[in-house]
Amino acid sequence: MPELPEVETVRRGLEAAMVGARLAAVKQRRPDLRFPFPERFAERLIGQRVEALRRRAKYLIADLDGAEVLIMHLGMSGSFRIEQARGPIPGAGVKNSLHDHVAFDLSTGARIVYNDPRRFGFMQLIPRPEFAGHPLFHNIGIEPLGDEFDGATLARLFAGKTTSLKAALLDQTLIAGLGNIYVCEALHRAGLSPRRAAGSLVRKDGTPSARATRLARVIRAVLNEAVAAGGSSLRDHRKTDGALGYFQHSFRVYGRDLEPCARCGGAVRRIAQAGRATFYCGGCQR
Ligand code: ZN
């Protein structure tokens, strides 16, 4: 499943190809993915100019010059690729073309293809004035890569919370788009136990502890490093098939149960928290 850095990498790739272009043709191969496509999907998009491509949590948001915004979500297995020459769907000779579900032909001559083998992704059109209050977006927490994300914000979000730090960081109504992998990695780098109460990072007067400040800084660093790694994988991909969306990372604790901790040499443990696997080192995460 793409996590926030992957989605941000996709956004940057699509932004370069789509912003400023008009949608000259839209082809869809089935009536639905996870949800039905909007009615008259192609008709509502054709002729629209893409003015900006934003990200909110793990949603990609194309601002169109008409009255609507196009929302795209990659689900479990969605990816985009950019083709410079147009062809019919399925693209001749393109692997996985069976799972190419949508193609946007741009006024620039490029074609953006959405591929999704498991079809948990979806696309939606929302009238611009309804965007902020839309059910998909009105209850989403703050962006961990946004300017307002710091120790003081974490303190405000976590004050009085007895739930675990892991669960609080994964709570999408508090912080947007932070997933299991990067929460495990950030907690390891910050030296904080995933089992510690979230509220323990907040001083009695509501100000952030040094731990909260460190955690906020580390979360940004871990995400930014992954985005940077995605950027380099993006450049590699462009040389080959133009696919955007997935890249290999090396993680310090995620998926490394029973391996030695890179920092203290202790054993990385795997536990279950709220039904999700948590990887951490009991030796150096307190
Ligand atoms: Zn350790």
Side-chain angles (χ1 to χ4, degrees), residues 54 56 69 126-140:
R54 296 179 286 135
R56 181 79 172 100
V69 292
I126 298 178
R128 188 183 315 281
E130 293 173 22
F131 174 76
H134 191 275
L136 287 177
F137 298 102
H138 84 282
N139 206 20
I140 288 184

Side-chain angles (χ1 to χ4, degrees), residues 188 261 263-266 281 283-284:
H188 179 257
C261 167
R263 182 164 49 204
C264 75
C281 172
C284 62

Side-chain angles (χ1 to χ4, degrees), residues 40-194:
R40 301 182 296 107
F41 183 60
E43 189 184 322
R44 287 158 72 180
L45 288 174
I46 289 168
Q48 299 283 323
R49 182 176 176 274
V50 179
E51 303 210 303
L53 193 74
R54 296 179 286 135
R55 179 187 56 75
R56 181 79 172 100
K58 296 204 289 186
Y59 296 93
L60 294 163
I61 300 153
D63 287 308
L64 307 173
D65 67 348
E68 296 183 303
V69 292
L70 168 64
I71 312 297
M72 299 175 282
H73 194 282
L74 299 172
M76 305 286 288
S77 59
S79 65
F80 284 94
R81 68 173 190 275
I82 301 168
E83 297 176 350
Q84 292 307 322
R86 291 178 190 166
I89 296 180
V94 177
K95 63 178 178 181
N96 294 332
S97 59
L98 178 66
H99 303 295
D100 288 349
H101 299 304
V102 183
F104 300 116
D105 286 346
L106 304 181
S107 53
T108 56
R111 163 177 276 188
I112 311 292
V113 179
Y114 179 70
N115 180 286
D116 191 349
R118 298 182 65 184
R119 300 201 306 264
F120 279 101
F122 61 90
M123 296 189 188
Q124 218 166 328
L125 284 164
I126 298 178
R128 188 183 315 281
E130 293 173 22
F131 174 76
H134 191 275
L136 287 177
F137 298 102
H138 84 282
N139 206 20
I140 288 184
I142 61 162
E143 286 290 330
L145 288 175
D147 292 340
E148 73 280 26
F149 187 78
D150 59 11
T153 303
L154 275 187
R156 178 172 57 77
L157 295 174
F158 289 175
K161 284 207 157 40
T162 55
T163 180
S164 72
L165 196 45
K166 171 85 186 296
L169 290 170
L170 283 178
D171 183 341
Q172 300 298 302
T173 67
L174 300 179
I175 302 170
L178 211 49
N180 199 25
I181 293 173
Y182 293 100
V183 168
C184 290
E185 293 295 303
L187 287 174
H188 179 257
R189 197 179 298 190
L192 295 171
S193 169

